Amino acid sequence: MDGKEILSLDMRGVSKQFPGTLAVDSVDFQVRPGEVHALLGENGAGKSTLMKMIAGSFSDYTGDIYIMGEKVELNSPAAAKAKGVGMVYQELSLAMPLTIAENVLAGRIPTKGKIFADKKAMKDQTIECLKRVGLGHLDPFACIKEISQQEAQLVEIAKTLGNNPSILVMDEPTSSLSREEVKLLFGIIDNLKKQGLAIIYISHHLPELFEVADRITIMRDGKKIGTYNIDEVTTKSLVEMMVGRPVDDTAVEVQNKVFGEEKLRVEHLTRHGFFHDISFNVRANEVLGIGGLSGAGRSELARGIVGADAINSGKIYIKGKETKIRSMSEALANGIAYLTENRKTQGLALRISIGENILSPLLKKHTKNGIYSAKRGESDVLAVMKELQVYPPDPTVTVGNLSGGNQQKVLLGKWVATKPQVLILDEPTRGVDVGAKMVIHDTIRRLAGEGNAVIVISSDLPELVALSDRVKIMKEGKFIGELIKGDLSEESVLLAANGEGDKLSGNIYAS
Amino acid sequence: METSMQANKEKIDVRKREVGKISSIINKLGVYVLVIALMILGTIISPKFLTASNFMNIIQAVSLLGMVAAGVSFITYSGNFVDMSIPCIMAFSGMIAVDTLRYGIVVSIVCGLLTGSAIGLINGIVVGKLKANPIIWTLSVAFVGNGFMRWFYSGKQIYPDVKGGAAADVFINLSRTDVFGRIPLIVIVMITFMVLGQFVMTKTKFGKQVKLIGSSYEVAKMTGINVNKVVCGAFILSALATSIAGIFLTSLAKTGAFYNGEGYDFNAVTAIVIGGMTLNGGRGDVVGVLGGVLVIGLLSNVMTLIGINTFSQSIVKGIIFIAVVGINARSLRKLGRDDA
């Protein structure tokens, strides 16, 4: 790099410390004007922390940051914004009940006489912003909740562009977009690039990076591994740099699995408006997948089985015996565990430690003579943490300080520690990186291999195909059929989920 | 395997550094920094401060508050903020105890406790099962309860010596009894509550369930905890402790009146929050709450020694309350423990 070039962003030896973890460890990171610079790494590699640093979320980072050659102190979000940093977050930061215009122009609404909002100017300025993301046709005074999720994502970008940033950070901007919309977005990014914006692009979706990025920086364990031009790397080399070891890409082939006794059978289970007449069984050693589009009623079905929601009719048999399950605690008492889809609101208590979270379903077990002792569960905790390679390997660390992937491991560990006979997993690897995913899958396979039954609900097709022995396809609250191991592929599941495909057999019990 | 383990260990050592020394000290020792500071201040200010009798005075003055705070801390711990019907429970249980004195001291106390616990049960059911906002609901209960007492007793105070006959002396002396010669019964009861409270909070299944609910209600529910029952339990426990304090207060005042217990609600919250238990729930413990209670006691004592009058004292208390909440929030944020 020649010294004369003015960089849009130049971070030199920046670090950020959290208790127990050095989240970013003296990283150098440079972004040139007019380039798309991808930032890649597993969950917990320090990407988000680095980006939060740029966004001014921390007042106590160390190291120097230069923007357009000028040394800056990014101690608050306002300071970062003033220096031309624009953030587009993964989760929408729009206020739902407000109008598009109010959101896009938040903090700089044009006024008449400094008191009254100038509606005409609002309308014009908003349309101007929206045009930059190809949404010029939207009514600026429509509420955010009236437009689609995808449009909202683009409005979010428009809002950020409205502040005329020189550096634009996009964190997984395509996660909720369809293929066509991704194309549109890439067109927009290309345009912004030509205008000289520096774009930092974060994504787990590798093929996407080859389409959009010019350079790529890989991080691991808080350190920078390297920066490369996009034509210097391949998907395989990127994954290897991310996980820090050679990747064995031959899939695990399990042959001729022998299934044991029936662990759970559900007959004609119905909850009005959510799922209807659901019947299936799952046997020991078996992984049953439930596929379908989101909103098909899969999570609701799981909640119905474990008693979190009341069912209207139908029967549940555990090991052939009819059992009434009216609450989560009854489900647990019957050996059924349910890993919820949303780890942050329903899965883990973020404020307490890893150990306390893992032991939370086992409070009764570790209480003797009225005295609860976490000591009794310590070996269990350490065992699951070791198997799932939870990092840091210290049960006293607060769960909220862990990366997403490690949180998900703790969540799985919490239910594994209850030694369930039937484990229902709802999106077991949502938003986690390749490394964590592999570990989680290994544990699921081990559990199923030890004579337990596992039900996997997943929208991640490769995952569903890789884990399941057979897959039930759910659509609009009903099982529309089943795919067995030989017929399982990403394509067949996707076709079936949309109600097509010839491999789909009727809604019958397997065996 | 061996080498990879070693590599892993090295990695941890590098990462494991504590930040913000002052923040983490405040976080660990919490309120006792303040307790010690006040004691040093008191010693400097007055030679009378560092005497056994002065200390006994301080503790005696806050022992009723301590009983209340020990109980109410379970509500805070469960994430339901505070029971605003504390004064109502104290007054009501005291009045019923006085009213039933003629049937003997045992009946009187049992009736008093049952009254308080019944209010706790109602609060627990409404907040736990029907998911009412705890502040609004208990505030309403306080109003209704207060109105009921005024209506039922025609706005009059009732006196143990008029109502009680022989049992009246026993009742009045409850709060004036010394155990082991010189330690007041109320101090013993307060200390017992603190010890019991700490035990229940940290060493029992119930305590751990309350903590999980306080940390995250939804998670606790999906983990198979009967949240309704546990929240209800916390309210009953709190009301029971509060009504015991209420009976002692009535005995101390020799008067059953609807206004007994006024101010105990805010003082209890202050003690709990100064003690490091955040209103969000799931954090802190009863040892901290004891510290909070001591701070309130020491503060009044020191200010009285300096010669600050009662009205100015409450201004100082309020300012300290605000400062502590601010420092707590700041140190939690520095430690990266604010809720993501």
Side-chain angles (χ1 to χ4, degrees):
Chain A
M1 189 167 308
D2 68 71
K4 284 171 207 154
E5 185 188 9
I6 291 181
L7 293 161
S8 286
L9 175 71
D10 187 2
M11 302 176 92
R12 295 184 199 162
V14 291
S15 301
K16 165 70 194 170
Q17 181 120 40
F18 288 118
T21 43
L22 190 56
V24 171
D25 188 357
S26 44
V27 166
D28 296 316
F29 183 60
Q30 282 102 13
V31 189
R32 299 174 189 146
E35 78 164 343
V36 175
H37 195 133
L39 189 57
L40 190 64
E42 296 188 89
N43 292 109
K47 297 178 311 242
S48 310
T49 311
L50 191 68
M51 289 307 104
K52 278 188 183 165
M53 216 183 270
I54 302 172
S57 301
F58 305 122
S59 56
D60 55 350
Y61 65 86
T62 56
D64 298 325
I65 301 178
Y66 297 82
I67 288 178
M68 301 309 277
E70 178 200 348
K71 188 165 187 241
V72 290
E73 298 284 338
L74 302 180
N75 288 334
S76 69
K81 211 166 156 184
K83 296 292 175 195
V85 178
M87 300 286 293
V88 179
Y89 291 100
Q90 192 174 353
E91 279 146 31
L92 292 180
S93 65
L94 300 173
M96 294 311 234
L98 299 187
T99 64
I100 296 177
E102 283 164 324
N103 271 290
V104 169
L105 303 176
R108 54 187 184 94
I109 288 180
T111 52
K112 275 185 215 160
K114 300 215 167 192
I115 296 171
F116 304 104
D118 183 345
K119 274 214 150 182
K120 171 109 185 28
M122 270 175 88
K123 188 177 171 188
D124 295 344
Q125 289 180 22
T126 307
I127 289 179
E128 186 124 326
C129 288
L130 290 176
K131 270 185 186 157
R132 294 180 76 177
V133 295
L135 288 177
H137 58 280
L138 285 185
D139 173 10
F141 298 113
C143 288
I144 296 293
K145 58 184 172 195
E146 290 166 15
I147 63 177
S148 73
Q149 168 90 22
Q150 289 88 346
E151 284 169 332
Q153 183 84 46
L154 291 173
V155 168
E156 172 102 22
I157 296 171
K159 173 187 169 187
T160 312
L161 289 177
N163 292 314
N164 285 318
S166 59
I167 302 165
L168 187 63
V169 182
M170 302 177 113
D171 190 359
E172 298 269 4
T174 56
S175 55
S176 60
L177 300 185
S178 72
R179 194 58 217 149
E180 289 75 45
E181 286 156 336
V182 170
K183 280 230 172 73
L184 176 69
L185 178 69
F186 286 175
I188 294 163
I189 289 178
D190 214 42
N191 240 323
L192 297 172
K193 223 165 90 173
K194 283 182 190 132
Q195 294 166 24
L197 246 79
I199 295 164
I200 301 169
Y201 191 95
I202 302 172
S203 177
H204 284 306
H205 195 61
L206 298 181
E208 216 173 86
L209 298 183
F210 287 98
E211 266 179 82
V212 74
D214 299 308
R215 288 199 300 161
I216 191 159
T217 291
I218 298 103
M219 289 185 73
R220 187 174 74 233
D221 295 342
K223 295 192 182 69
K224 184 169 104 169
I225 301 302
T227 300
Y228 303 89
N229 286 325
I230 196 73
D231 47 21
E232 293 173 336
V233 291
T234 62
T235 306
K236 192 157 182 266
S237 69
L238 286 178
V239 171
E240 285 180 357
M241 281 188 274
M242 273 164 74
V243 299
R245 60 176 178 269
V247 176
D248 178 19
D249 47 8
T250 53
V252 191
E253 199 61 56
V254 186
Q255 282 133 2
N256 301 326
K257 263 171 98 173
V258 183
F259 303 126
E261 51 159 353
E262 177 185 272
K263 289 283 182 184
L264 174 74
R265 186 172 71 213
V266 165
E267 280 183 3
H268 310 297
L269 210 63
T270 298
R271 182 179 170 216
H272 299 316
F274 295 94
F275 51 86
H276 188 72
D277 197 22
I278 298 290
S279 301
F280 70 89
N281 71 350
V282 56
R283 294 158 292 180
N285 295 339
E286 187 177 32
V287 180
L288 174 71
I290 299 182
L293 305 173
S294 59
R298 296 173 300 168
S299 300
E300 288 78 5
L301 172 62
R303 289 177 61 92
I305 293 172
V306 299
D309 295 325
I311 49 170
N312 295 105
S313 62
K315 286 174 180 163
I316 294 170
Y317 297 84
I318 293 168
K319 290 192 192 171
K321 206 173 129 231
E322 190 184 343
T323 311
K324 286 247 184 296
I325 300 175
R326 281 165 301 234
S327 71
M328 198 64 212
S329 56
E330 289 184 18
L332 272 175
N334 283 297
I336 303 179
Y338 172 44
L339 183 146
T340 47
E341 127 186 74
N342 195 329
R343 72 168 169 262
K344 282 192 177 170
T345 58
Q346 298 182 332
L348 293 170
L350 299 177
R351 271 192 250 147
I352 61 179
S353 73
I354 298 175
E356 284 174 299
N357 267 290
I358 292 179
L359 292 177
S360 60
L362 298 168
L363 294 174
K364 202 177 201 165
K365 187 185 161 194
H366 297 303
T367 301
K368 277 191 191 115
N369 304 323
I371 298 174
Y372 169 79
S373 161
K375 272 260 177 323
R376 289 190 198 106
E378 207 180 338
S379 58
D380 286 357
V381 170
L382 292 173
V384 295
M385 283 179 70
K386 194 171 171 215
E387 175 178 7
L388 288 159
Q389 298 166 29
V390 174
Y391 187 85
D394 174 1
T396 61
V397 171
T398 308
V399 167
N401 287 342
L402 300 181
S403 69
N406 280 301
Q407 287 184 1
Q408 193 69 27
K409 288 178 188 173
V410 173
L411 178 56
L412 179 62
K414 166 177 161 180
W415 295 118
V416 169
T418 64
K419 307 204 163 55
Q421 306 242 336
V422 178
L423 179 59
I424 305 176
L425 303 163
D426 201 344
E427 304 289 355
T429 60
R430 175 174 285 173
V432 313
D433 58 80
V434 202
K437 205 170 188 169
M438 272 160 38
V439 173
I440 289 172
H441 285 181
D442 285 347
T443 301
I444 294 172
R445 290 200 184 94
R446 174 186 67 79
L447 270 173
E450 287 172 357
N452 303 303
V454 178
I455 298 174
V456 174
I457 298 170
S458 181
S459 301
D460 181 341
L461 295 179
E463 168 171 283
L464 201 61
V465 170
L467 285 175
S468 309
D469 296 306
R470 59 194 166 104
V471 172
K472 288 278 183 190
I473 305 296
M474 198 165 181
K475 192 184 176 210
E476 288 162 8
K478 288 180 184 142
F479 275 174
I480 57 168
E482 170 178 295
L483 290 163
I484 53 171
K485 189 87 191 171
D487 295 331
L488 272 178
S489 70
E490 289 172 44
E491 295 75 34
S492 67
V493 174
L494 193 59
L495 282 174
N498 289 293
E500 294 165 38
D502 46 5
K503 298 276 170 57
L504 206 59
S505 55
N507 187 10
I508 46 158
Y509 298 150
S511 77
Chain B
M1 191 63 206
E2 195 67 40
T3 48
S4 80
M5 283 281 280
Q6 231 157 27
N8 220 10
K9 250 181 200 161
E10 269 166 24
K11 216 161 68 181
I12 301 150
D13 287 342
V14 176
R15 284 193 170 203
K16 218 177 178 184
R17 296 175 208 153
E18 278 293 326
V19 278
K21 281 170 215 117
I22 293 173
S23 307
S24 72
I25 287 170
I26 288 178
N27 203 267
K28 277 194 190 108
L29 294 177
V31 65
Y32 286 94
V33 175
L34 212 56
V35 171
I36 291 165
L38 281 169
M39 284 171 75
I40 294 170
L41 188 68
T43 315
I44 297 168
I45 287 167
S46 165
K48 275 183 267 171
F49 181 80
L50 210 60
T51 56
S53 69
N54 189 42
F55 273 127
M56 195 48 81
N57 279 341
I58 294 170
I59 294 176
Q60 196 169 358
V62 292
S63 53
L64 295 185
L65 177 62
M67 295 177 205
V68 174
V72 177
S73 63
F74 280 86
I75 293 176
T76 313
Y77 203 50
S78 76
N80 283 303
F81 310 114
V82 69
D83 183 350
M84 297 302 290
S85 59
I86 290 168
C88 165
I89 293 174
M90 290 178 81
F92 215 156
S93 52
M95 287 187 98
I96 295 294
V98 172
D99 213 1
T100 51
L101 260 181
R102 62 196 135 183
Y103 306 112
I105 187 74
V106 176
V107 174
S108 147
I109 289 174
V110 168
C111 286
L113 297 186
L114 282 179
T115 308
S117 307
I119 300 174
L121 177 68
I122 295 167
N123 286 341
I125 289 172
V126 175
V127 175
K129 205 167 177 98
L130 306 179
K131 315 269 181 298
N133 177 308
I135 301 250
I136 302 298
W137 169 258
T138 53
L139 207 53
S140 323
V141 166
F143 267 95
V144 172
N146 229 301
F148 180 81
M149 280 183 277
R150 289 193 217 199
W151 167 74
F152 195 76
Y153 292 104
S154 320
K156 291 190 186 101
Q157 302 159 346
I158 51 174
Y159 303 98
D161 34 7
V162 177
K163 291 259 177 188
D169 286 341
V170 185
F171 186 84
I172 289 169
N173 282 327
L174 270 181
S175 56
R176 293 171 173 79
T177 309
D178 287 350
V179 186
F180 310 128
R182 54 190 309 181
I183 305 171
L185 177 65
I186 52 172
V187 173
I188 300 278
V189 172
M190 190 269 275
I191 301 286
T192 310
F193 276 24
M194 288 290 178
V195 172
L196 268 178
Q198 177 71 8
F199 175 78
V200 171
M201 195 170 275
T202 57
K203 296 270 185 267
T204 66
K205 188 179 82 174
F206 175 74
K208 291 287 162 186
Q209 288 177 329
V210 174
K211 179 172 187 177
L212 193 65
I213 293 171
S215 300
S216 174
Y217 181 86
E218 270 300 309
V219 170
K221 210 169 101 186
M222 293 310 291
T223 304
I225 287 168
N226 189 338
V227 282
N228 302 340
K229 214 168 97 185
V230 176
V231 169
C232 201
F235 271 94
I236 293 172
L237 201 67
S238 162
L240 190 63
T242 305
S243 48
I244 290 171
I247 290 170
F248 276 121
L249 180 67
T250 310
S251 148
L252 206 58
K254 300 184 190 173
T255 312
F258 61 83
Y259 53 76
N260 273 350
E262 246 169 44
Y264 271 84
D265 43 1
F266 185 73
N267 275 333
V269 192
T270 310
I272 288 169
V273 172
I274 291 180
M277 195 170 267
T278 59
L279 289 175
N280 289 334
R283 265 200 205 108
D285 57 12
V286 179
V287 172
V289 172
L290 174 63
V293 170
L294 289 178
V295 165
I296 291 184
L298 284 166
L299 206 58
S300 305
N301 190 264
V302 168
M303 287 194 289
T304 309
L305 287 175
I306 299 173
I308 299 174
N309 66 39
T310 325
F311 299 124
S312 313
Q313 282 191 17
S314 55
I315 298 175
V316 176
K317 267 190 223 167
I319 290 170
I320 287 189
F321 177 70
I322 293 166
V324 166
V325 170
I327 291 170
N328 258 337
R330 203 181 134 77
S331 66
L332 282 174
R333 195 163 53 234
K334 277 227 162 172
L335 289 166
R337 291 202 193 133
D338 59 336
D339 304 335

